[in-house]
Amino acid sequence: MNRENPKKFRVKSFGCQMNVYDGDRMTEMLTDQGMTSADDGEEADLVVLNTCHIREKAAEKVYSDIGRLRGKDGKSPLIAVAGCVAQAEGKEISRRAPSVDIVVGPQAYHRLPELLEKAKSGKKALDTDMPIQSKFDVLPTRKKQARPNAFLTVQEGCDKFCTYCVVPYTRGAEISRPWSDLIDEAKALVDGGSKEITLLGQNVNAWSSEDDKGRRQGLDGLIRALDKVDGLGRIRYTTSHPNDMTQELIDAHGDVPKLMPYLHLPVQSGSDPILKAMNRSHTTESYLDILRRIREVRPDIAISGDFIVGFPGETDEDFEKTLAVVSEANYAQAYSFKYSPRPGTPAATMESQIAPEIMNERLQRLQALLNEQQHEFNRQAVGRTTTILLERNGKLDGQLVGKTPWLQSVHIIAPGLAIGDLVEVEIETAGPNSLQGRMIRSEAA
Ligand code: SAM
Ligand code: SF4
């Protein structure tokens, strides 16, 4: 391990896709500094842990990961803690884990090279500023992409202040990146080999900017402009907030050819009093109405969502209402979590915190229903011919895994094909989590 002159680095991202994006940008920046990414199993001189603070379990994980980085000789590589744990815990991290050399927040990671210089000379380096100059203005231009499905952060931060959530504190106020920067970055990603771009934001559909002609545009306008980028095959976006789901964005699902039929729209709870206590500012009815309108323009759309069970004060009746909303919404896929009190958020000090056993039981019931809906959605694909984008190798020899337009994973045995190929497949079998397919023909054929 060369701590004085690090050559090999590893970036490990946890949590949301925005962290994956930030991890890619840190990788590009460190490569620009002349360092190279360590291969699997290879020792790294610098390890960046790009962390998540959304739930307690995710936040605590960083400390066990730091412990595991110590080599047999008792020495650690240079360790940088980035991401939302860095922002939320700051100096406290090096106090709890003295082997940490660098602590850098999600809005300051463009300063990583300077922080690294300091750390190389044996000093602790900390930067959790939210600088006026945006990191996006100084990060290097996008490079050749390792993945055919690239992420592009268009919006960051959150002004919604749901009472359970740390994001407004760790990621800061809502900002939208300018139109021309995004068009340029999307083109650079496509030039670098990406076939699919997922637009990212904590509330991606709150994105808004003036276009190059000075007209105010919403996310639908950006999607329509990207639809015209040659070489880009697929567009996705995540995560959306129900309050920012405009009719224009809904309509885009009906007539933008490259926009994939998938919408991740968290509801969190099916009970209006709980939604009010969460400060969600939508109701179950306004949420279900969005799903009805989007299914009118795109009947086959896959709907996904997020749920929190056991929010303070949630009664059995409130929880039954969540199950009723799930039955009505009919999800293709969903994420569900037990409520986790986060320091500094209003919900953490609310009365009537729910007992862990009750949360466990509710989560099991909710997940059983969601899994059954997901399995049924997958079963409906059997016999269908569709196109998948190959994203990674499978576990078996010659096996590749790709994604359908509805974001389902499909395993195929396809010798001669490669990651990044678009392949026409017939779906043969469906499990709860993935599909098996047979190649009909590849894009190149
Ligand atoms: N902005 C998105 C929205 O409002 O729908 C979600 C962003 S958040 C990073 C991802 C998900 O984590 C949320 O939708 C919520 O379900 C979950 N989450 C956030 N805070 C949580 C907490 N304190 N306990 C459990 N789950 C939480
Ligand atoms: Fe968190 Fe709510 Fe903002 Fe989503 S909208 S990031 S859940 S505060």
Side-chain angles (χ1 to χ4, degrees), residues 171-232:
R171 289 265 173 178
E174 207 165 283
I175 60 117
S176 288
R177 292 184 64 196
W179 171 274
S180 54
D181 290 10
L182 296 174
I183 303 286
D184 290 349
E185 190 169 330
K187 286 182 178 161
L189 287 169
V190 173
D191 289 345
S194 300
K195 299 222 171 121
E196 175 180 299
I197 293 182
T198 301
L199 307 176
L200 299 179
Q202 261 90 27
N203 289 302
V204 69
N205 54 344
W207 178 88
S208 168
S209 162
E210 279 182 2
D211 66 11
D212 42 6
K213 298 200 173 67
R215 295 170 302 201
R216 178 78 12 212
Q217 297 280 358
L219 193 68
D220 55 296
L222 182 63
I223 289 170
R224 285 181 195 280
L226 294 178
D227 188 57
K228 298 197 184 86
V229 173
D230 285 338
L232 178 61

Side-chain angles (χ1 to χ4, degrees), residues 269-279 282 284 311-313 318 321:
S269 165
S271 155
D272 287 340
I274 293 293
L275 288 176
K276 196 154 187 254
M278 288 177 163
N279 193 29
H282 60 81
T284 48
F311 184 81
D318 292 319
K321 286 184 179 154

Side-chain angles (χ1 to χ4, degrees), residues 54-55 164 202-203 266 268 280 306 337-338 340 342:
I54 199 84
R55 284 168 289 277
Y164 51 80
Q202 261 90 27
N203 289 302
Q268 314 297 358
R280 284 293 291 180
D306 288 353
F337 313 101
K338 284 184 273 188
S340 170
R342 306 309 292 124

Side-chain angles (χ1 to χ4, degrees), residues 191-333:
D191 289 345
S194 300
K195 299 222 171 121
E196 175 180 299
I197 293 182
T198 301
L199 307 176
L200 299 179
Q202 261 90 27
N203 289 302
V204 69
N205 54 344
W207 178 88
S208 168
S209 162
E210 279 182 2
D211 66 11
D212 42 6
K213 298 200 173 67
R215 295 170 302 201
R216 178 78 12 212
Q217 297 280 358
L219 193 68
D220 55 296
L222 182 63
I223 289 170
R224 285 181 195 280
L226 294 178
D227 188 57
K228 298 197 184 86
V229 173
D230 285 338
L232 178 61
R234 297 172 157 202
I235 306 166
R236 304 182 184 276
Y237 61 94
T238 198
T239 293
S240 298
H241 192 285
N243 278 15
D244 297 311
M245 206 63 214
T246 62
Q247 189 57 43
E248 289 79 10
L249 184 55
I250 291 176
D251 290 342
H253 278 278
D255 61 14
V256 177
K258 292 180 186 170
L259 182 56
M260 292 294 102
Y262 181 92
L263 174 67
H264 181 61
L265 193 67
V267 64
Q268 314 297 358
S269 165
S271 155
D272 287 340
I274 293 293
L275 288 176
K276 196 154 187 254
M278 288 177 163
N279 193 29
R280 284 293 291 180
S281 60
H282 60 81
T283 62
T284 48
E285 188 41 42
S286 66
Y287 176 84
L288 290 169
D289 181 56
I290 295 168
L291 301 194
R292 280 192 283 272
R293 283 186 284 136
I294 204 154
R295 282 177 165 138
E296 251 167 51
V297 299
R298 187 77 210 223
D300 66 336
I301 195 160
I303 301 293
S304 162
D306 288 353
F307 295 88
I308 296 176
V309 300
F311 184 81
E314 184 187 71
T315 62
D316 285 342
E317 201 190 339
D318 292 319
F319 175 67
E320 293 299 330
K321 286 184 179 154
T322 298
L323 295 179
V325 164
V326 172
S327 298
E328 193 163 341
N330 201 7
Y331 290 93
Q333 194 259 342

